Amino acid sequence: MTLPRDYRGQTCALARSMEIVGERWTLLILRDAFYGIRRFGEFAAHLGVPRAVLTDRLATLTGAGVLARRPETGTGRREVYGLTPKGVALWPAVRALTVWGEEFCAAEGGPRRVFLHAADEAPLAPDGRCTACGAAVPVRDVLVAPGPGLAPAAPDADPVTAALARPHRLLTPLLATAPSGRPTKGSPS
């Protein structure tokens, strides 16, 4: 029996939220959008998600106003996805689930990525505050950096994985140009 896509009979806000962000791959797509991944091909290469599933999840997120799809500046044909203010408002939930995962489902060797306050490069506490200055750090001031559990990128790693091996501010484009040799949605095959 196929599970329904919605929560019929459920009228709470959590059920309505889960209809948007609760499907497999959706939170990882959002995580990557916070990391600065913008192109269809970048999501596909980094996540290894089937293209049909990625198309469906991106359509759900854009339809719900969490992501916006727009032409990439200077390319004409390529499109990019970016978090809307509604999408950016999901950062505390994404961060909280990541913190929960590090506490209860920790990877061997420690976290693969750590979140730091860009102003002083101090780690963020579980509540999103800077451990050095105590400031509540807005998402645009969060630096994602390799953690002790991140293995070195393999020589044949996709461009996103290679770029995430360096510290990077959230919400800023991770890759300036489309990866060469890898088609992106809207590019000639």
Side-chain angles (χ1 to χ4, degrees), residues 3-172:
L3 290 174
R5 289 185 62 116
D6 61 9
Y7 296 93
R8 291 186 185 113
Q10 298 292 319
T11 58
C12 77
L14 181 59
R16 290 189 305 274
S17 299
M18 291 298 292
E19 287 182 6
I20 299 168
V21 300
E23 291 196 74
R24 184 177 176 102
W25 296 107
T26 301
L27 285 170
L28 297 180
I29 292 166
L30 288 171
R31 175 206 62 195
D32 280 6
F34 279 106
Y35 286 171
I37 296 170
R38 305 175 308 144
R39 296 179 192 91
F40 184 94
E42 293 169 4
F43 286 110
H46 186 241
L47 295 172
V49 60
R51 294 176 87 76
V53 172
L54 180 58
T55 298
D56 179 67
R57 300 307 184 267
L58 290 170
T60 297
L61 291 168
T62 55
V66 173
L67 291 177
R69 189 172 88 184
R70 58 179 168 45
E72 184 174 23
T73 306
T75 66
R77 288 186 45 189
R78 285 197 182 109
E79 293 182 329
V80 292
Y81 294 88
L83 289 159
T84 64
K86 185 176 182 179
V88 171
L90 285 166
W91 173 244
V94 172
R95 187 193 69 242
L97 284 168
T98 302
V99 168
W100 183 87
E102 291 298 346
E103 183 172 345
F104 297 107
C105 309
E108 198 171 307
R112 293 180 59 221
R113 293 190 175 78
V114 294
F115 299 113
L116 310 169
H117 185 192
D120 55 21
E121 296 191 7
L124 298 187
D127 66 357
R129 292 189 168 281
C130 176
T131 57
C133 69
V137 182
V139 67
R140 291 195 183 280
D141 293 336
V142 174
L143 193 67
V144 59
L150 184 66
D156 62 344
D158 67 274
V160 172
T161 298
L164 284 170
R166 298 180 301 276
H168 177 78
R169 254 186 212 257
L170 294 184
L171 299 178
T172 58

